[in-house]
Structure formats: structure tokens, C-alpha cells
Amino acid sequence: MSGAVKGSGLATLGLLAVTAIWGSTFVMIKDVVGRMLPIDFLAVRFAIAAVAMLLLFALPVRRLSRPQLWRGLALGVLYGLAQWLQTEGIALTSPSVSGFVTGMYVVITPMLAWLLFRQRIPAITWLAVVLAMVGLGVLALNGFAVDLGVLLTLASAALYALHIVGLGHWSKPGDAFGMSAIQMLGIALVCVLATLPHHGPALPPDGKAWVAIIYMALIAGALAMLVQTWAQAHMPATRAAIVMTTEPVFAAGFAVALGVDALTTRMLCGGALVLAAMYMVELAPRFRRKKPAEALHHEAG
């Protein structure tokens, strides 16, 4: 039991590190997509990540069974489609609304987990889901209207949720290297194919853009996918989704630290609600598990 709890704790820390890395990219992405088409940016970023991972993890990929190969590729295609739809949606709506609607995967994930795999969702987890959504709304929203951009972003949130559920169901700790590499290949294929109407992917315009894209390809892409794939082999999909809602909290923190945004009461309140949701599904259950042992220790003393 202690080994499982330890593995789950490391998985949570890993996912938090991933969301912090994703949060660090928001300012860079805004700068790069201002100078090249978003879909070109995605294609170059994920193509670099796919090549790096396939070279680095060629042996683990060869060790995957045929079903795992197809599952990894399917999960990568799902993620790639989600990235594409989200990018198209951002072009048609505000970043704050896009961030909130993308975060809807925290609601869709437990629904899909129950519908597809009949996973039982505890009441405390549903409460945490609601709390996370309220926190995202406070953090991100400043007016809201349903338009094409919102619908595209909502579709991307559903695909992200499906990816989270599928990854949680299919990933195994021993397959993390191979599965993450195959997923990255699927993502790259979708993004490169999406550039074909524009005559294929255009390269970054300057050295600064290249540095940003390489960071996002290798750190926020390859490394993040590897850690997420490993982490989701150790925790339920819904808990993973709630942990990953900390991404906009980290994004806001980096924006404030870099002087791009000013710290506001909304940021503090929204971030506190998201962190409270994560506490409800991660730290509180661990505290309850330890409490009887601690009580026995005190009685013995």
C-alpha cells in the first residue's frame, strides 16, 4: 500500500511539473504565433519532438505490442486534433475565454471515464471538479459569449478529456517511453497534415522563434508527454485532470513574474479555488489515511 501511495504522490508531483512547464510557454507562444501561422508553429514544434523521441526511444518503441502501438498512435492523433482545434479556436476568441473553455476537460473527463469504462467517481471528486471549474472561471473569464471559436475550443476540450481517459486506461509504467514517442508521432502527423492546404509547414522566421520552438518541442512537448504518460499509469484519469487544471494558475504566475500581467484579486481567488480542488482529491485523502496510524502512535506515547 505504501508503495502505491508513494507512486501516486510522485505521479502528482510529475503532473504538477508538467503543468508548470506548460504554463511557462504561454508568453512564448503568444510571441511566436504573432510572427508565424499557429498551425505552422504546431507542425514544426511537434515534428522536432517526434524525431527526437523516436531516435531516443527507438528500442522501447520496438518493444511495444501491436495493440499498444495502435493505442499510442490513436492517443497521439486525438491530442493532435485537440491542439489543432484549440489553435483555430484561439484565433476566433479571446485567450481568457479559450483558457476557460479548454479547462472544461476537467468536467468532461469524469463523464467519459464513467461512460466508457464505468469508473466510479467519488462524491468528493465531483465536488473538486465543480470547485476547479469555478476557480477557472474566476481566474480567466471577463465576459463570455458562445461563438465558433468557443465551439471549436469546446470540441478540443472533449478530445483532451478523451486523451486523458484513454491514456489513464491504456498506459503502463513499463511502456511510458515507447507510448510517449508513438503519441508524439501521431501529434506531429496531424499537425503537419493540417499545414498542407498552406503548402506545408513554414519554418520559424528568426533565431528567437527557433529557440522558443525548440524549448517547447523538447521540454514542453517531449519531456512533458513522457512524464504525463508515466504519471497517468499511477492515478485515475479524473484526478489527473484536476491536477492539470493548475496550468492556468502557473501561466498567470509566470505572466506576473515576467511583468506581462499585474497581480489581481481575481488571480489570487481563482488560483486558490483551483488549488483547493487539487487538495481535495490529492492531499486530503492522504491525510485521512495517515491519521489512524498517527493517533495510534500518540496513544502509545
Side-chain angles (χ1 to χ4, degrees), residues 248-299:
V249 179
F250 283 115
F254 278 109
V256 170
L258 294 172
V260 176
D261 287 331
L263 183 64
T264 66
T265 303
R266 285 173 60 115
M267 284 183 185
L268 291 173
C269 292
L273 288 170
V274 171
L275 293 176
M278 192 187 72
Y279 173 82
M280 290 174 68
V281 296
E282 284 296 325
L283 300 182
R286 296 172 196 279
F287 178 75
R288 285 197 297 271
R289 280 195 294 267
K290 291 178 182 178
K291 200 169 183 179
E294 289 172 358
L296 185 64
H297 173 75
H298 291 309
E299 286 174 11

Side-chain angles (χ1 to χ4, degrees), residues 222-236:
L223 179 62
M225 178 59 72
L226 175 60
V227 174
Q228 184 188 355
T229 300
W230 174 85
Q232 284 205 239
H234 294 83
M235 65 197 308

Side-chain angles (χ1 to χ4, degrees), residues 83-166:
Q83 285 275 325
W84 185 14
L85 289 176
Q86 184 185 15
T87 302
E88 295 295 336
I90 288 174
L92 299 172
T93 190
S94 69
S96 61
V97 170
S98 176
F100 172 75
V101 177
T102 300
M104 285 291 290
Y105 66 73
V106 76
V107 176
I108 302 170
T109 296
M111 294 178 180
L112 290 176
W114 182 81
L115 285 171
L116 296 176
F117 302 116
R118 289 295 186 265
Q119 292 180 10
R120 180 180 169 274
I121 310 298
I124 191 72
T125 301
W126 282 113
L127 183 58
V129 165
V130 173
L131 197 60
M133 281 309 301
V134 173
L136 287 173
V138 172
L139 187 66
L141 288 184
N142 196 10
F144 186 86
V146 177
D147 53 23
L148 180 59
V150 168
L151 294 176
L152 289 173
T153 308
L154 186 59
S156 78
L159 291 176
Y160 281 131
L162 192 56
H163 176 266
I164 291 169
V165 171

Side-chain angles (χ1 to χ4, degrees), residues 42-113:
L42 290 176
V44 175
R45 171 188 174 183
F46 288 116
I48 292 172
V51 169
M53 294 189 83
L54 289 172
L55 289 174
L56 192 59
F57 303 129
L59 187 57
V61 168
R62 284 199 295 269
R63 288 175 177 165
L64 291 176
S65 65
R66 184 169 292 184
Q68 284 295 84
L69 282 170
W70 283 111
R71 288 166 181 169
L73 193 60
L75 289 170
V77 168
L78 280 176
Y79 195 97
L81 289 171
Q83 285 275 325
W84 185 14
L85 289 176
Q86 184 185 15
T87 302
E88 295 295 336
I90 288 174
L92 299 172
T93 190
S94 69
S96 61
V97 170
S98 176
F100 172 75
V101 177
T102 300
M104 285 291 290
Y105 66 73
V106 76
V107 176
I108 302 170
T109 296
M111 294 178 180
L112 290 176

Side-chain angles (χ1 to χ4, degrees), residues 25 28-29 32-33 36-47 83 87 191 195 201-202 204 209 212-213 216:
T25 65
M28 285 186 285
I29 289 173
V32 173
V33 299
M36 64 185 296
L37 288 176
I39 194 59
D40 289 335
F41 155 72
L42 290 176
V44 175
R45 171 188 174 183
F46 288 116
Q83 285 275 325
T87 302
C191 294
T195 66
I213 285 177
M216 286 182 277

